[in-house]
Amino acid sequence: MTEITDDIEAVVEDTDLPRRLKEDVYDTIEAREGVDTENANYIAKAVEAQYKGSRVDPLDPVGTVSAQSIGEPGTQMTMNTFHYAGVAEIDVTQGLPRLIELVDARKNPDTPMMTVHLEDEYATNRERAHEVVWNIEATKILALGDISTNVADMIVSIDLNEDTLAERWPTVESTTEIAGEIADTVQDNLGVQVTQNGTVIEFGPEEPSYRELLQLVEQLREITFKGIEDISRVVIRKEETEEGEEFVLYTEGSAFKKTLKIEGVDASRTTCNNIHEVHKTLGIEAAREAIIDETMTTLEEQGLDDVNIRHLMLVADIMTNDGTIQSIGRHGISGNKDSVLARAAFEVTVNHLLDAAIYGEADDLDGVIENVIVGKPVRLGTGDVDLRMGTTSD
Amino acid sequence: MVDESQHELVPDHTVLPEDEVEDVLEEYDVERTSLPKIKRRDPALPDDAEIGDVVKVVRDSRTTDEAIVYRLVIE
């Protein structure tokens, strides 16, 4: 153990290191025996030299390096989607398909899901946590009772299960009242006269018709009585945190905006794997964070966590640069390049050249691809540095 | 009402005073329109932001302690 003296602090603070690296230097010195000010100075200078040496040089093609640094590990990813490989028996798309989905900025991901954190007592009490579950998970008629179809009288009758009703509507006193609400919902959705008797609900088609009767039953199954339509399943899990244990909900299907408004949901930690929903609900900066988080977890799950986060940050920066989420590829970033030749070199060459000819576009030959095509030195790295002899510097 | 700015994923957004905007543009040697953009309807934008304003975003960076970026408010 070495104590950080004022002298040591002075030599470390004197370097150009960012805050976090300075903290690391302090921690390292503190953990070692007998470091004097001179040693500390060496350490600080060595770290600074290493830091400066590993920074990006001017004219470095960072985009190309990022593309390769993500692309190569991408070749090692599994081509297949493994099911039920995610958390808590919820099926999430992983590996290459998920990465493609992210960089393509697909409007609807294959397996939308949310991680819902809870507030206060909702997070610690299983009963309260369940209240939130019932407010999120879509409740269909099959979960509430038995449906029987009486063909002779042309009547559909639903025998609601009182225990289930009391469980899913914990705030309502009597089960008859809940049954009344359900009857109203059925009437509004199907447009038929519904009669209620205790917890038994009956209805039938206006004109006796076998086909219509079956159709009504079909429609009845689709109605959402409670919760959010898009969320088909919610799984509760107890998780360890720094402050103890808490209940966390995982949902199949997503409705980020609606979920954040539900009582008991912690609107500061709940997340969603659909970057477009995050964008709509929390804005472009949050979407950028979400892209980085999602791409990084996708790589980590495949054991490719040695991809530097800076590459993913660059991708996310570019995707969110214009205030909306743009995909990488023909319909997004690559399709919006200024240079005709760069666009033509990517995909659908003839269309781009034809359009460019029609509109009389010019190409400034600034980019990499354009210069490769015309055989000029690419204006990157040493290619952008000119040497002149015989001139004097002032 | 959900307060977007309280979410973990949302960094601080503040409208940058006009004189500081000049300094920023000078420092980076860019035009105002070359800055990254943010839509006026963006949920995380402060209420007093108008089109043409520059918003200062202070991110909790993964690689250094803080990263400051600027976005131009558009349409």
Side-chain angles (χ1 to χ4, degrees), chain A residues 95-248:
Chain A
L96 201 59
R98 175 67 182 149
L99 197 64
I100 292 172
E101 193 172 272
L102 284 165
V103 295
D104 276 356
R106 204 84 53 74
K107 273 276 168 325
N108 300 302
D110 251 5
T111 51
M113 68 158 294
M114 291 186 297
T115 309
V116 182
H117 289 270
L118 301 172
E119 281 182 324
D120 312 325
E121 81 262 23
Y122 292 98
T124 48
N125 182 327
R126 189 178 279 270
E127 306 260 298
R128 303 304 306 268
H130 258 289
E131 277 176 38
V132 182
V133 172
W134 301 136
N135 281 327
I136 296 178
E137 192 178 81
T139 300
K140 301 277 157 111
I141 199 69
L142 285 175
L144 296 173
D146 303 316
I147 309 170
S148 48
T149 333
N150 183 336
V151 183
D153 300 330
M154 285 291 157
I155 278 175
V156 181
S157 92
I158 314 162
D159 185 6
L160 296 164
N161 184 327
E162 291 195 30
D163 292 341
T164 317
L165 294 187
E167 187 189 31
R168 299 213 177 197
W169 278 266
T171 48
V172 187
E173 282 293 314
S174 76
T175 45
T176 330
E177 200 178 317
I178 305 166
E181 273 177 40
I182 293 173
D184 289 344
T185 316
V186 174
Q187 189 158 327
D188 290 346
N189 279 277
L190 301 184
V192 289
Q193 195 60 43
V194 179
T195 55
Q196 184 210 346
N197 186 2
T199 55
V200 178
I201 295 170
E202 290 185 326
F203 63 88
E206 276 164 28
E207 301 290 320
S209 148
Y210 183 62
R211 231 188 83 194
E212 206 151 300
L213 187 75
L214 289 185
Q215 226 162 32
L216 283 176
V217 177
E218 280 299 307
Q219 287 168 4
L220 177 68
R221 284 169 202 263
E222 298 299 315
I223 303 172
T224 307
F225 291 93
K226 197 172 184 197
I228 301 167
E229 175 90 57
D230 300 316
I231 294 165
S232 54
R233 208 160 68 93
V234 178
V235 176
I236 267 196
R237 247 174 48 135
K238 194 180 226 170
E239 281 183 6
E240 303 279 337
T241 60
E242 281 143 34
E243 295 105 54
E245 290 176 326
E246 66 165 353
F247 288 106
V248 180

Side-chain angles (χ1 to χ4, degrees), chain B:
Chain B
M1 243 338 263
V2 176
D3 183 3
E4 290 85 7
S5 65
Q6 290 307 306
H7 199 281
E8 281 178 347
L9 290 174
V10 183
D12 276 347
H13 294 57
T14 44
V15 176
L16 199 66
E18 203 53 35
D19 49 326
E20 287 180 43
V21 173
E22 296 303 320
D23 296 343
V24 168
L25 296 180
E26 201 168 311
E27 189 193 337
Y28 290 103
D29 189 21
V30 288
E31 296 288 310
R32 187 182 278 258
T33 48
S34 311
L35 292 172
K37 315 290 188 297
I38 186 167
K39 298 269 186 194
R40 196 177 55 82
R41 291 187 312 272
D42 196 280
L45 210 58
D47 294 333
D48 55 340
E50 306 273 336
I51 292 173
D53 282 350
V54 173
V55 179
K56 177 180 175 179
V57 181
V58 182
R59 295 174 186 154
D60 183 15
S61 170
R62 289 167 172 80
T63 51
T64 71
D65 37 317
E66 268 184 358
I68 297 170
V69 289
Y70 303 91
R71 282 184 185 268
L72 176 69
V73 183
I74 51 161
E75 171 240 352

Side-chain angles (χ1 to χ4, degrees), chain A residues 128 218 247 255 287 299 325 335 346 365 373 392:
Chain A
R128 303 304 306 268
E218 280 299 307
F247 288 106
L299 291 169
I325 299 178
F346 184 64
L365 303 182
I373 293 173
T392 49

Side-chain angles (χ1 to χ4, degrees), chain A residues 234-278:
Chain A
V234 178
V235 176
I236 267 196
R237 247 174 48 135
K238 194 180 226 170
E239 281 183 6
E240 303 279 337
T241 60
E242 281 143 34
E243 295 105 54
E245 290 176 326
E246 66 165 353
F247 288 106
V248 180
L249 314 182
Y250 293 90
T251 71
E252 221 173 82
S254 70
F256 195 40
K257 207 166 206 159
K258 283 183 191 166
T259 307
L260 288 186
K261 289 181 184 148
I262 288 172
E263 200 192 322
V265 171
D266 186 341
S268 70
R269 290 186 298 151
T270 296
T271 55
C272 170
N273 76 345
N274 184 345
I275 49 175
H276 290 280
E277 279 186 74
V278 174

